[in-house]
Amino acid sequence: MEQQARGTTIPRPTARRAARPDELVTLKHGAGGVPMRLLIEETLAAGYAEAPMEGVGLDAMDDGAALPLPDGRWLVVTTDSHVVHPIRFPGGDIGRLAVAGTVNDLAMMGATEPLGLTCAVVVEEGFRRTELEAIQLSMLETCREAGTTVITGDTKVMPRGEVDGLILNTAGVAITSRVVIDAGLQPGDRIVVTGTVGDHGISLMARRHELEFDEELLSDVAPINGLVRAALEAGGAGVVALKDPTRGGVASALHEMADKSRVSIVIDEPAVPVRHSVRAAAEMLGLDPFHIANEGKALMGIRPERVEDVLAALRAHPLGRDAAVIGTCAADHPGRVVLDTGLGRRLLTEPVGEPLPRIC
Amino acid sequence: MEQQARGTTIPRPTARRAARPDELVTLKHGAGGVPMRLLIEETLAAGYAEAPMEGVGLDAMDDGAALPLPDGRWLVVTTDSHVVHPIRFPGGDIGRLAVAGTVNDLAMMGATEPLGLTCAVVVEEGFRRTELEAIQLSMLETCREAGTTVITGDTKVMPRGEVDGLILNTAGVAITSRVVIDAGLQPGDRIVVTGTVGDHGISLMARRHELEFDEELLSDVAPINGLVRAALEAGGAGVVALKDPTRGGVASALHEMADKSRVSIVIDEPAVPVRHSVRAAAEMLGLDPFHIANEGKALMGIRPERVEDVLAALRAHPLGRDAAVIGTCAADHPGRVVLDTGLGRRLLTEPVGEPLPRIC
């Protein structure tokens, strides 16, 4: 049966004209920086802006969408596909990553109580059922941690060799009375990060390169909706921007926030928490921790008068112990992100050509 | 850059103990029949039933989930990944398939006015941007046809050879005042199909085998939320079950409906509309049109006193011209589906071992 079915797959077309390299999708389009944003704006999101919707739609390029409900609240919707390799990594696995990623994207819109998640699995023929069970268990546990559940799903099997292992897509829905967007920053607002940066991406890359350190390098993957809720309760309307620094790292996220709010951001580099082992591994790998994906952190824009309240609330939470104020917004040079090293200032660039494939 | 990034991918583990064949996922687990339902129940959906949710959840194994809203209405959520190969096929492409599939899953819950769709793209390095643009245009056009839009998305790029071309996941959200589930059938209810069966799967398989016919074989892929809305308006509470016969075809869908409602269904085989060319191609391919995926059709369970109204409404719609009453529910042998051929009766079996990979 299997043979017959496999035999029916038609061969891929071979006689197409050679495409210019700039016509092809490359790994840099998946790296979370400028090339990805341009690809999305120019192709995948094109055309939808002609019929603008009420609320936060595709054109906002935010962590998710927000649709107005008749009772004045908002329905928040978000989606992410997860292609991380290997599917188990130090500190987590693809199941935890998928649940946390979607819960966190909802939280970054201000929606910290997810109603439920969808789970769509694309799996390679020959994948082990025990692996599938382990991933499911990890999803279930992470759902419990986040106070949510999987409500519906889909399963597709692809013939051997046509997909590498497993791809997991999750979408999430939540209702919130207040939407927090990326773009709420004003000059004078402070930037807070909820913990150490670079942990997820650097731990994966260190594992791929078999680097070892005294301090074990672990991904920070975790659902942080509870942490964000604590910050929103403490800061109220003083929490004006939320973004999780996933692909492209803190650098990309800060650039998006600065650009959308038309402010500049000055980052006090020594204030940014980076684990010693992450810094060491990043140096050995030639990577910048500011360019690397995090999976359990948030950047927050806070009105100056509320920043101490928010910081105290974050630090009182187990996932926010290393929270720190790392920067300030200014009116000059909108869109620019500057690193103040303590010895001088330089521009913080966005990653453009350093793709780390299948990091999330 | 690309070289460096590609070089960082760790090799797959090789020294694992050999797994027994029954421990592995096979193509039949993706074919929409009994093996897929068992795999989902035993692995992916396991554990969630311990904390049952209000509404229609994962345990219902319906086309989507329904969550109660404070105003008495329901939030319906659904998801599907699309792996169809080739990405363009006679009568459609992966973009149209994704939008129609998700819109139709919402409609099968009674939610015929989708608020919006998510769109998560996983694309192989080297994929053509012009292809991506064509797919996006197809999605946009199908969204317009269905009266909806893409509200948020995600893009991942996988290194060459790690995914074949493109995988498209869409999730959909809608609000409805009445949820129609799979399981509302009673003895005496009539079964209606909204048009010819087998078109999508057979047209793809005929293309793979390069079969040609006088009448062109085309997929039926279309968003049918407008058609379902017309049926619900005409039939009101007399429309008691809705299911779209996708993977596993009419046979799987009828089995699920009969099983969940604890009735048997007797199908009047000559009444089931099948295109001449589909029947001919199915015979040449050794396939049963009743086992084959449709992408623009619905099966409906209708109270007998409303069936003429619903049929008239369906036939007045461009996508329902071939709608027909094809069967009746009975109390004996719950879960059984019987084909009355006009000459005798036989059981309609579910497809188990005839997977058609990447048909949707």
Side-chain angles (χ1 to χ4, degrees):
Chain A
M1 292 296 188
E2 215 165 87
Q3 278 310 107
Q4 182 194 332
R6 291 176 58 82
T8 59
T9 307
I10 71 158
R12 295 211 230 174
T14 50
R16 301 196 296 197
R17 80 175 170 82
R20 293 197 311 272
D22 61 340
E23 288 179 353
L24 303 180
V25 175
T26 64
L27 288 173
K28 72 174 192 284
H29 293 114
V34 172
M36 186 170 95
R37 281 214 297 281
L38 287 177
L39 177 76
I40 294 171
E41 283 170 10
E42 289 166 10
T43 63
L44 295 163
Y48 291 96
E50 286 164 32
M53 51 172 274
E54 217 186 329
V56 181
L58 200 57
D59 50 334
M61 304 279 283
D62 209 318
D63 301 289
L67 304 167
L69 291 174
D71 66 1
R73 295 188 300 163
W74 298 86
L75 174 65
V76 179
V77 185
T78 178
T79 187
D80 264 313
S81 297
H82 295 86
V83 300
V84 66
H85 185 80
I87 58 171
R88 291 164 201 279
F89 49 81
D93 60 42
I94 192 171
R96 181 168 178 81
L97 187 68
V99 172
T102 296
V103 165
N104 294 351
D105 273 350
L106 292 173
M108 293 306 114
M109 303 290 287
T112 60
E113 291 177 23
L115 289 171
L117 309 182
T118 68
C119 170
V121 174
V122 176
V123 57
E124 183 181 14
E125 179 192 11
F127 196 82
R128 282 167 175 251
R129 284 184 63 139
T130 50
E131 290 266 30
L132 219 48
E133 282 159 22
I135 291 160
Q136 180 277 327
L137 197 63
S138 172
M139 292 188 78
L140 185 65
E141 284 168 1
T142 314
C143 277
R144 284 184 184 142
E145 213 174 310
T148 191
T149 188
V150 172
I151 54 174
T152 189
D154 177 56
T155 308
K156 294 285 187 304
V157 182
M158 282 173 81
R160 206 181 294 263
E162 297 184 11
V163 67
D164 179 23
L166 181 83
I167 295 176
L168 208 51
N169 177 282
T170 41
V173 290
I175 291 175
T176 183
S177 50
R178 179 180 165 227
V179 173
V180 183
I181 55 173
D182 292 351
L185 299 172
Q186 291 175 5
D189 287 344
R190 310 301 303 273
I191 302 294
V192 167
V193 68
T194 61
T196 54
V197 312
D199 299 52
H200 175 75
I202 293 292
S203 69
L204 251 87
M205 295 307 290
R207 156 91 193 260
R208 288 184 188 173
H209 288 276
E210 297 178 2
L211 302 183
E212 287 195 17
F213 297 87
D214 291 344
E215 179 194 27
E216 196 184 6
L217 271 171
L218 294 177
S219 166
D220 59 340
V221 59
I224 56 167
N225 55 321
L227 180 68
V228 174
R229 196 183 308 131
L232 290 171
E233 282 166 10
V239 180
V240 292
L242 290 171
K243 186 139 196 85
D244 54 343
T246 53
R247 275 180 297 171
V250 166
S252 268
L254 289 171
H255 269 278
E256 272 196 61
M257 293 169 84
D259 194 46
K260 288 182 185 172
S261 298
R262 308 312 300 149
V263 296
S264 62
I265 299 175
V266 180
I267 295 294
D268 175 20
E269 189 174 20
V272 182
V274 182
R275 268 184 220 293
H276 175 73
S277 54
V278 167
R279 203 183 293 277
E283 259 172 44
M284 292 174 70
L285 294 163
L287 296 170
D288 183 342
F290 285 26
H291 283 179
I292 300 300
N294 308 273
E295 294 293 345
K297 300 291 154 49
L299 290 166
M300 300 183 171
I302 317 278
R303 295 273 183 267
E305 64 274 16
R306 303 309 295 269
V307 75
E308 284 309 318
D309 295 340
V310 171
L311 200 63
L314 289 172
R315 287 180 174 166
H317 191 284
L319 293 172
R321 283 196 204 107
D322 299 319
V325 181
I326 60 166
T328 306
C329 301
D332 63 309
H333 298 93
R336 204 163 79 167
V337 183
V338 174
L339 270 189
D340 188 332
T341 64
L343 302 169
R345 290 186 163 202
R346 61 178 176 89
L347 291 178
L348 177 63
T349 55
E350 276 198 84
V352 281
E354 197 76 38
L356 307 177
R358 303 184 65 180
I359 209 92
C360 61
Chain B
M1 294 295 188
E2 212 165 273
Q3 277 310 107
Q4 182 194 333
R6 292 176 56 83
T8 59
T9 307
I10 70 157
R12 295 211 231 174
T14 49
R16 301 196 295 197
R17 80 174 169 84
R20 293 197 311 273
D22 62 339
E23 288 179 354
L24 303 180
V25 176
T26 64
L27 288 174
K28 72 175 192 282
H29 292 114
V34 172
M36 186 169 96
R37 282 214 296 282
L38 288 177
L39 176 76
I40 294 170
E41 282 169 11
E42 289 166 11
T43 64
L44 295 163
Y48 292 96
E50 286 163 34
M53 51 173 274
E54 216 186 330
V56 180
L58 201 58
D59 51 333
M61 304 278 284
D62 209 318
D63 301 289
L67 303 168
L69 292 174
D71 65 1
R73 297 188 300 164
W74 298 85
L75 174 65
V76 179
V77 185
T78 178
T79 187
D80 264 312
S81 296
H82 295 86
V83 299
V84 67
H85 185 79
I87 58 171
R88 290 165 200 278
F89 49 81
D93 60 42
I94 193 171
R96 181 168 179 80
L97 187 68
V99 173
T102 296
V103 166
N104 294 351
D105 274 349
L106 292 173
M108 293 306 112
M109 303 291 286
T112 59
E113 291 177 22
L115 289 172
L117 308 181
T118 68
C119 170
V121 173
V122 176
V123 58
E124 183 180 14
E125 179 191 12
F127 196 84
R128 283 167 174 251
R129 285 183 62 138
T130 50
E131 290 266 30
L132 218 49
E133 282 159 22
I135 290 160
Q136 180 277 327
L137 197 63
S138 172
M139 291 187 78
L140 185 66
E141 284 169 1
T142 314
C143 276
R144 284 183 183 143
E145 214 175 308
T148 191
T149 188
V150 172
I151 53 174
T152 189
D154 178 55
T155 308
K156 294 285 187 303
V157 182
M158 283 174 80
R160 207 181 295 262
E162 297 185 11
V163 66
D164 180 23
L166 182 84
I167 294 176
L168 208 52
N169 177 282
T170 41
V173 290
I175 291 175
T176 183
S177 50
R178 181 182 162 224
V179 172
V180 183
I181 54 173
D182 291 352
L185 298 171
Q186 291 176 4
D189 287 344
R190 311 302 302 273
I191 302 294
V192 167
V193 68
T194 61
T196 55
V197 312
D199 299 52
H200 175 74
I202 293 291
S203 70
L204 251 88
M205 296 307 290
R207 156 92 193 261
R208 288 185 188 173
H209 288 276
E210 297 178 1
L211 301 183
E212 286 195 17
F213 296 88
D214 291 343
E215 179 195 25
E216 196 185 6
L217 271 172
L218 294 177
S219 166
D220 59 340
V221 59
I224 56 167
N225 55 322
L227 179 69
V228 174
R229 195 183 310 131
L232 290 171
E233 281 167 8
V239 179
V240 293
L242 290 172
K243 185 137 196 86
D244 54 344
T246 53
R247 275 180 297 172
V250 165
S252 269
L254 289 171
H255 269 278
E256 272 196 61
M257 293 169 84
D259 194 45
K260 288 182 187 173
S261 298
R262 307 313 299 149
V263 297
S264 62
I265 298 175
V266 180
I267 295 295
D268 176 20
E269 189 174 21
V272 182
V274 183
R275 267 184 223 290
H276 176 72
S277 55
V278 167
R279 201 182 294 277
E283 259 174 45
M284 291 174 71
L285 294 163
L287 297 170
D288 182 340
F290 286 26
H291 283 179
I292 300 301
N294 308 273
E295 294 292 346
K297 300 291 153 50
L299 290 166
M300 300 182 170
I302 317 279
R303 296 274 184 266
E305 64 275 14
R306 303 310 295 269
V307 75
E308 285 309 319
D309 295 340
V310 171
L311 201 63
L314 289 172
R315 287 181 173 166
H317 191 284
L319 293 172
R321 282 196 203 106
D322 299 319
V325 181
I326 61 166
T328 306
C329 302
D332 63 310
H333 298 93
R336 205 162 79 167
V337 183
V338 175
L339 269 189
D340 189 332
T341 64
L343 302 168
R345 289 185 163 203
R346 62 179 176 86
L347 291 178
L348 177 62
T349 56
E350 277 198 83
V352 281
E354 196 79 36
L356 307 178
R358 303 185 65 180
I359 209 91
C360 62

